Amino acid sequence: MTIVSLTDWNQFIAHHPNAHLLQMGGWGELKKDFGWKPVRFILDSETGAQILFRRLPLGLTLGYMPKPVFALSGGSNDFLRPEVEEQLSVNSKQLSVVSDQFWKEVDSVCKKNHAVFLKIEPDAWTEEFILQPSSLFILSKHNIQPPRTIVISLKENEEQILARMKPKCRYNIRLAGKKGVTIRTWDDLPAFHEMMTVTGGRTNFGVHTLEYYQRAYELFHPKGTCELLVAEYEDTPLAALMVFANAKRAWYVYGASNDEERNRMPTYLLQWEAIRWAKARGCEEYDLWGVPDETEETLEAQFESRHDGLWGVYRFKRGFGGQLKRAAQALDRVYNPLLYWAYLKYVGNRNSD
């Protein structure tokens, strides 16, 4: 095993072109500036990982492996459904079955960094993934990233993508254009942060610092893997979003709007132009990143009456005609059982407040 530099990691990721945003070297650098320590190691040409460590009291850490490009196998193919595993072993380098040696190296890195446990969020959907009884991993009750999302296929032409949308969404996109809303690229990060703050106050969502958004833009935009778009009316900003892309995948990660001219539906045209940006880059899917973790039946039955949490964004995102998907549940690999138990108690109490 080799602990590698950012340059070497980026070269490694270049050979896994559909790697998730959260495994890109730039994401590790972003998190490094805000309290996390990225460690990147390569076992061989097909096996490696970027792990983020968050400092805890007493010199301990929490380890986090977000959306790794490798299947989670203890060497006996414990986690992928057999039919998926067979398909992936032939057709994909993104979810290759890794060896016991990989996890031994992971354990070594985690122990050197005094990790209480390592949380792994697989880059796989629930239907692709199954956890057989194992002492190596605990199926976690807690995810860091929202597990359920809506994914829009970009493989068809624009008219076909529009045709899959809900009629009201399609209408709002066209209405925004008719009412004078325009979309352009933007680099006013202070104004974007101010707009994010307005949105956070309106929806009770957490908001990063201005420095966080600036650093994300600095790391990704020069490489063409990020764009900041703004919706305006008569040169007045109304809404903005930051979209990321890698190879054939794109993610809508940060979005905001102020309280002006909302009847002009700027967010709909803005999202459509972000989708068009991703498609023009060659992306084949667009991840809307986060809706309530409920079944489609529950979501459709309650979205008109619910406004708490992610329910408001579900009302918006459902209109774009994507497919509701749920990521495989997070796994924990435990190194200090007593402190891990204390962590579970802490998170359980916080979630019950």
Side-chain angles (χ1 to χ4, degrees):
M1 179 194 74
T2 304
I3 302 294
V4 299
S5 67
L6 174 62
T7 299
D8 289 341
W9 179 254
N10 287 339
Q11 291 175 351
F12 174 79
I13 286 293
H15 295 288
H16 300 272
N18 280 326
H20 195 280
L21 168 66
L22 303 189
Q23 277 292 299
M24 294 175 68
W27 192 262
E29 292 302 288
L30 172 63
K31 304 313 284 188
K32 181 176 75 172
D33 290 344
F34 296 92
W36 295 81
K37 173 187 174 182
V39 176
R40 307 167 181 105
F41 73 88
I42 297 173
L43 185 65
D44 54 44
S45 63
E46 296 299 329
T47 311
Q50 174 174 261
I51 303 176
L52 305 175
F53 291 97
R54 183 79 176 187
R55 186 171 297 280
L56 301 173
L58 304 177
L60 301 170
T61 67
L62 178 156
Y64 179 40
M65 188 190 292
K67 308 296 182 183
V69 296
F70 315 109
L72 304 177
S73 170
S76 56
N77 307 344
D78 291 334
F79 304 119
L80 288 179
R81 295 184 187 278
E83 64 274 16
V84 175
E85 179 190 320
E86 180 179 357
Q87 177 185 357
L88 292 172
S89 65
V90 174
N91 296 329
S92 175
K93 304 219 182 260
Q94 303 310 309
L95 288 170
S96 57
V97 175
V98 297
S99 65
D100 289 330
Q101 184 62 28
F102 172 77
W103 293 109
K104 289 178 182 176
E105 301 296 355
V106 168
D107 292 344
S108 175
V109 170
C110 289
K111 290 174 182 177
K112 285 179 181 177
N113 284 275
H114 309 291
V116 174
F117 67 98
L118 172 68
K119 185 174 292 292
I120 306 148
E121 290 185 333
D123 191 14
W125 304 117
T126 300
E127 63 268 20
E128 301 169 338
F129 186 87
I130 188 169
L131 181 65
Q132 302 291 350
S134 170
S135 61
L136 302 177
F137 300 91
I138 296 172
L139 190 63
S140 177
K141 295 181 180 180
H142 313 116
N143 296 284
I144 293 179
Q145 304 303 326
R148 204 172 294 266
T149 187
I150 294 175
V151 179
I152 301 169
S153 171
L154 305 184
K155 295 179 180 179
E156 299 82 6
N157 63 42
E158 290 185 7
E159 287 305 313
Q160 290 171 315
I161 295 171
L162 281 165
R164 285 202 310 270
M165 295 181 186
K166 304 288 186 187
K168 184 65 173 177
C169 180
R170 200 163 51 240
Y171 172 81
N172 285 340
I173 290 170
R174 290 167 177 159
L175 179 67
K178 291 178 181 178
K179 288 198 168 192
V181 176
T182 58
I183 311 298
R184 66 177 178 92
T185 58
W186 207 30
D187 61 2
D188 191 340
L189 274 300
F192 178 64
H193 177 254
E194 183 178 346
M195 198 180 291
M196 288 291 299
T197 302
V198 171
T199 301
R202 188 174 63 233
T203 61
N204 270 338
F205 287 170
V207 177
H208 292 293
T209 63
L210 168 59
E211 292 74 19
Y212 186 95
Y213 298 116
Q214 286 177 323
R215 186 63 175 140
Y217 188 81
E218 291 167 358
L219 286 165
F220 288 92
H221 188 264
K223 298 178 180 178
T225 52
C226 163
E227 192 57 87
L228 180 63
L229 299 173
V230 62
E232 296 176 317
Y233 175 68
E234 295 183 345
D235 298 324
T236 299
L238 305 178
L241 64 76
M242 195 177 290
V243 58
F244 295 80
N246 182 44
K248 297 186 182 301
R249 304 170 75 180
W251 301 268
Y252 162 50
V253 182
Y254 307 120
S257 63
N258 56 36
D259 297 323
E260 300 179 35
E261 305 288 349
R262 300 185 71 183
N263 64 311
R264 297 182 189 277
M265 304 298 170
T267 55
Y268 287 88
L269 183 59
L270 178 66
Q271 194 66 244
W272 171 235
E273 290 301 325
I275 291 169
R276 294 184 69 225
W277 174 85
K279 183 169 177 58
R281 291 188 81 266
C283 296
E284 295 184 354
E285 67 176 45
Y286 184 92
D287 189 335
L288 285 166
W289 199 287
V291 297
D293 191 17
E294 302 286 353
T295 65
E296 188 164 12
E297 292 76 14
T298 299
L299 289 168
E300 287 299 299
Q302 298 184 19
F303 79 90
E304 292 184 314
S305 60
R306 295 281 298 272
H307 304 283
D308 53 300
L310 290 171
W311 282 91
V313 298
Y314 176 72
R315 177 194 293 265
F316 172 72
K317 292 177 180 181
R318 70 184 286 276
F320 288 88
Q323 183 179 5
L324 185 68
K325 305 280 283 184
R326 193 190 193 282
Q329 187 64 21
L331 305 173
D332 292 340
R333 193 168 176 95
V334 178
Y335 303 107
N336 187 318
L338 180 61
L339 292 179
Y340 178 71
W341 175 84
Y343 158 80
L344 294 180
K345 294 288 288 183
Y346 168 75
V347 173
N349 291 337
R350 186 179 64 180
N351 290 343
S352 63
D353 289 343

